[in-house]
């Protein structure tokens, strides 16, 4: 068994197609298929369901894949650490895959830009995922870290670092009767024509809990899994939306849109970075934790989101 066999298996599971997997690995399709067959022979179990085209992995293959992803993650971390020894602690290079809940995508840009300023050789892939998808992707080693809620669902088995506190505003067009209000209650917001995130999003579950605490239940006119789509509907259709308050500052001027703080109840949740808790930590994760610590140390409390 060697690393390339595991890389080919991971690529096949990801691409779900022999030719695309071979192309992603820069080898021919017969080479990829042959190396996976060698792996099956060495382990003594079938890994891939055989057919005219890729069907899927066998039960044994799914277990082999989990171990393969774990080994590949450790192998990548080892290479990062060795390169640091060769080049110096500040010369970190590699690729960081970051899963981010949709409501945190604008704020995640602050984190990624800071990482790239300090570590210009690190490439970053940001993937929009639900909180549940982030946990699953971390367990499957398909992402390195996630930005998600820290206090609304269990993150046992993960290390965490808070980034900011999320509070909520009602976003309305400036022609709305609510536009001149200083604050709006959740009960009042429930009476408006609303567009909200879809129920599978943790942000939506938080919003639903706030409405329940206010003894009310809205009937949204539109649901979407895109925060940008929420904003577009406020601007172009006149629907109201509930989004994190920092959007108004971070996204810059929003013509014809007002953001009004929501009260009764006051709702706030910690959002931060999570990663698999293990020893040793991969150098990329150690670097991100250092970046977050430096951001928190220099943050002006009066401008904290």
């Amino acid at each position: 068994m060697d690393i390339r066999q595991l890389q080919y298996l991971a690529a096949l599971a990801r691409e779900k197609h022999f030719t695309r997997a071979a192309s992603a690995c820069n080898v021919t399709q017969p080479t990829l298929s042959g190396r996976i067959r060698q792996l099956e022979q060495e382990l003594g179990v079938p890994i891939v369901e055989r057919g005219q085209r890729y069907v899927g992995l066998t039960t044994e293959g799914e277990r082999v894949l989990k171990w393969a992803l774990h080994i590949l993650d450790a192998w990548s971390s080892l290479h990062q650490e060795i390169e640091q020894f060769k080049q110096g602690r500040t010369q970190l290079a590699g690729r960081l895959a970051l899963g981010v809940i949709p409501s945190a995508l604008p704020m995640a840009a602050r984190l990624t830009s800071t990482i790239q300023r300090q570590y210009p050789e690190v490439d970053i892939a940001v993937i929009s995922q639900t909180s549940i998808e982030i946990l699953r992707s971390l367990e499957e080693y398909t992402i390195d870290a996630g930005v998600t809620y820290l206090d609304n669902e269990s993150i046992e088995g993960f290390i965490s670092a808070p980034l900011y506190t999320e509070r909520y505003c009602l976003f309305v067009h400036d022609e709305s009767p609510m536009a001149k209000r200083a604050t709006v209650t959740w009960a009042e917001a429930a009476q408006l024509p609303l567009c909200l995130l879809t129920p599978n999003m943790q942000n939506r579950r938080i919003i639903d809990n706030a409405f329940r605490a206010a003894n009310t239940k809205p009937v949204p006119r539109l649901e979407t899994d895109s925060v940008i789509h929420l904003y577009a509907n406020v601007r172009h259709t006149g629907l109201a939306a509930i989004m994190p308050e920092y959007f108004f500052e971070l996204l810059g001027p929003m013509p014809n849109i007002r953001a009004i703080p929501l009260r009764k109840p006051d709702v706030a949740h910690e959002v931060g970075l999570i990663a698999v808790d293990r020893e040793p930590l991969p150098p990329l994760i150690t670097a991100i934790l250092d970046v977050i610590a430096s951001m928190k140390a220099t943050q002006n409390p009066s401008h904290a989101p």
Side-chain angles (χ1 to χ4, degrees), residues 6 36 55 106 120 127 141 176 243 251 276:
L6 303 182
I36 291 178
V55 177
I127 306 153
Y141 297 97
S176 167
M243 293 184 281
L251 296 182
V276 175

Side-chain angles (χ1 to χ4, degrees), residues 59-102:
T59 301
E60 298 93 335
E62 293 289 352
R63 293 301 301 168
V64 173
L65 175 64
K66 286 183 181 294
W67 281 106
L69 293 173
H70 179 80
I71 293 168
L72 290 171
D73 179 74
W75 180 80
S76 175
S77 298
L78 170 63
H79 274 261
Q80 291 169 14
E81 191 156 347
I82 294 302
E83 284 303 310
Q84 279 193 307
F85 283 127
K86 291 179 179 178
Q87 304 295 332
R89 299 297 296 179
T90 61
Q91 299 303 310
L92 185 63
R95 182 180 184 274
L96 172 68
L98 193 64
V100 182
I101 55 174

Side-chain angles (χ1 to χ4, degrees), residues 195 222-234:
C195 52
L222 181 145
E223 294 177 321
T224 177
D225 62 359
S226 166
V227 175
I228 296 301
H229 194 210
L230 289 182
Y231 164 70
N233 275 279
V234 174

Side-chain angles (χ1 to χ4, degrees), residues 140-207:
E140 295 175 350
Y141 297 97
T142 53
I143 61 173
D144 300 295
V147 175
T148 186
Y149 295 101
L150 302 182
D151 56 5
N152 201 53
E153 288 183 356
S154 174
I155 55 170
E156 184 178 354
F158 298 93
I159 58 172
S160 63
L163 281 168
Y164 65 94
T165 300
E166 185 173 276
R167 297 180 177 85
Y168 306 93
C169 284
L170 179 72
F171 284 68
V172 298
H173 197 277
D174 62 6
E175 295 178 357
S176 167
M178 295 287 186
K180 298 188 182 301
R181 296 279 296 275
T183 62
V184 176
T185 69
W186 287 87
E188 291 171 324
Q191 307 308 310
L192 299 174
L194 290 172
C195 52
L196 299 174
L197 290 176
T198 50
N200 65 312
M201 315 293 278
Q202 192 174 169
N203 178 270
R204 172 64 182 277
R205 296 196 290 275
I206 289 172
I207 288 171

Side-chain angles (χ1 to χ4, degrees), residues 204-279:
R204 172 64 182 277
R205 296 196 290 275
I206 289 172
I207 288 171
D208 286 346
N209 286 336
F211 280 126
R212 278 193 290 271
N215 295 313
T216 187
K217 183 178 180 179
V219 179
R221 298 278 297 276
L222 181 145
E223 294 177 321
T224 177
D225 62 359
S226 166
V227 175
I228 296 301
H229 194 210
L230 289 182
Y231 164 70
N233 275 279
V234 174
R235 184 171 185 182
H236 297 294
T237 71
L239 294 175
I242 295 172
M243 293 184 281
E245 65 177 355
Y246 76 81
F247 271 42
F248 203 78
E249 175 189 349
L250 197 62
L251 296 182
M254 296 185 182
N256 308 119
I257 291 180
R258 287 284 317 283
I260 309 166
L262 281 156
R263 299 289 183 262
K264 297 182 181 179
D266 290 331
V267 181
H269 286 281
E270 284 291 318
V271 176
L273 182 120
I274 65 171
V276 175
D277 190 4
R278 51 189 156 154
E279 182 61 38

